[in-house]
């Protein structure tokens, strides 16, 4: 059984700590080293591997310090320049650390070389898919991000989604603007508010929950289509166009 827990970082980042056993630790996207070191020392763990989804600083800024202190193996995207990566990865590659076995998925869009790690009923998706939202487009394209989210949508619905930020409440505000009559969204907002009022994380979610409440995974929905076309002021010819306009709407949303 692989244990997974969140290490909060910065204002709203999550660094994911995976514990395959034997006192070993693996971390995903360590944007800063201090919280990781404190957690490892508190729990008596040794860092043996770092998994990187993409090269943005808030996901890689702690790697240098962690490598200096622990000399872990560093895995990351083949198509992005990230310091210290010794194991470049792409779609279909495998990462094995004892009983921990993860498959690599190419999920570009937020950045051109973004990858995710899938296994043990879990997806570590960085900034590609968020709870009730998705990442902004930086070095990737809208088309790439749309197809990456379609790929994720095809995974088993029971899996847990471990994204890298606590954005759920803000994302739900936008989702309810798009679909104000979606009862599942209203219920999720109430549950999310309750968790945050108690200082609890809203991540992970499940893919099933995202498929029911995340507008970016529901570009086939008649209500999403109608709302996005109304906002755009014209007929949009396919789901990819719906997604592109929905992402732009989200970018403009305060």
């Amino acid at each position: 059984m692989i244990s997974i827990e969140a290490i909060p970082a910065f204002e709203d980042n999550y660094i994911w700590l995976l514990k395959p056993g034997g006192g070993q630790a693996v971390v995903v996207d360590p944007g800063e080293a201090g919280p990781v070191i404190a957690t490892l020392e508190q729990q008596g763990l040794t860092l043996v591997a770092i998994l990187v989804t993409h090269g943005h600083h808030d996901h890689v800024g702690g790697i240098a310090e962690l490598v200096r202190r622990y000399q872990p193996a560093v895995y990351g995207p083949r198509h992005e320049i990230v310091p210290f990566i010794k194991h470049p990865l792409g779609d279909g590659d495998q990462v094995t650390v004892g009983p921990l076995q993860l498959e690599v998925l190419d999920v570009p869009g937020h950045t051109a070389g973004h990858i995710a790690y899938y296994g043990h009923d879990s997806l570590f998706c960085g900034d590609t898919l968020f709870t009730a939202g998705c990442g902004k487009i930086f070095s990737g394209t809208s088309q790439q991000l749309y197809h990456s989210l379609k790929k994720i949508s095809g995974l088993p619905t029971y899996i847990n989604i471990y994204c890298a930020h606590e954005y759920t409440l803000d994302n739900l505000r936008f989702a309810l603007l798009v679909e104000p009559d979606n009862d599942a969204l209203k219920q999720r907002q109430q549950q999310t508010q309750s968790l945050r009022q108690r200082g609890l994380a809203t991540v992970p979610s499940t893919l099933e929950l995202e498929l029911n409440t995340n507008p970016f995974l529901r570009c086939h929905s008649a209500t999403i289509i109608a709302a996005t076309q109304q906002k755009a002021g014209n007929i949009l010819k396919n789901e990819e166009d719906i997604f592109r306009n929905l992402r732009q709407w989200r970018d403009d949303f305060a």
Side-chain angles (χ1 to χ4, degrees):
M1 183 70 176
I2 305 299
S3 176
I4 304 169
E5 66 180 75
I7 301 175
F10 303 114
E11 291 185 1
D12 53 33
N13 280 66
Y14 291 126
I15 301 167
W16 295 107
L17 171 65
L18 287 64
K19 294 182 278 188
Q24 295 185 322
V26 176
V27 294
V28 183
D29 286 349
E32 56 178 339
V36 175
I37 294 169
T39 300
L40 295 175
E41 291 184 349
Q42 182 182 26
Q43 299 188 25
L45 299 171
T46 300
L47 184 66
V48 297
I50 294 172
L51 309 181
V52 178
T53 64
H54 66 292
H56 284 169
H57 181 73
D58 63 323
H59 294 252
V60 304
I63 293 177
E65 173 83 11
L66 295 173
V67 167
R68 183 188 65 79
R69 184 179 286 252
Y70 300 105
Q71 293 81 52
V74 183
Y75 300 82
R78 178 173 293 127
H79 300 298
E80 294 198 12
I81 298 173
V82 180
F84 301 102
I85 288 180
K86 300 299 184 183
H87 303 277
L89 302 170
D91 204 64
D93 287 338
Q94 303 284 328
V95 175
T96 301
V97 180
L100 176 67
Q101 294 185 316
L102 299 171
E103 178 185 355
V104 176
L105 304 178
D106 281 344
V107 288
H110 176 67
T111 63
H114 202 300
I115 62 175
Y117 300 87
Y118 171 54
H120 302 275
D121 297 338
S122 301
L123 180 73
F124 301 92
C125 52
D127 288 357
T128 296
L129 174 66
F130 289 134
T131 44
C134 71
K136 291 184 178 181
I137 297 163
F138 286 91
S139 59
T141 68
S142 174
Q143 182 182 46
Q144 287 177 326
L145 187 54
Y146 170 76
H147 287 287
S148 292
L149 294 176
K150 292 290 283 186
K151 177 188 286 190
I152 291 172
S153 296
L155 297 174
T157 59
Y158 55 77
I159 66 170
N160 292 312
I161 302 296
Y162 291 89
C163 63
H165 291 274
E166 181 58 69
Y167 288 164
T168 316
L169 271 178
D170 282 345
N171 286 338
L172 285 171
R173 286 176 55 234
F174 175 72
L176 280 162
L177 175 66
V178 178
E179 283 193 293
D181 297 324
N182 185 325
D183 289 338
L185 268 176
K186 294 175 184 178
Q187 181 179 11
R188 185 176 187 182
Q189 185 183 49
Q190 291 176 349
Q191 293 169 340
T192 298
Q193 287 172 335
S194 176
L195 288 170
R196 296 307 292 155
Q197 286 167 359
R198 290 178 283 154
L200 300 176
T202 66
V203 186
S205 66
T206 65
L207 182 55
E208 181 179 22
L209 180 60
E210 297 308 317
L211 289 170
N212 288 330
T213 58
N214 189 324
F216 296 100
L217 301 187
R218 305 181 64 250
C219 293
H220 59 280
S221 164
T223 54
I224 298 286
I225 292 169
T228 307
Q229 290 188 151
Q230 182 178 20
K231 175 66 175 178
N234 62 293
I235 300 298
L236 303 172
K237 61 184 180 181
N238 55 39
E239 286 185 26
E240 195 171 307
D241 277 353
I242 295 293
F243 176 81
R244 177 173 51 81
N245 280 269
L246 190 64
R247 182 60 260 183
Q248 183 61 56
W249 189 1
R250 180 66 178 93
D251 290 342
D252 297 337
F253 178 71

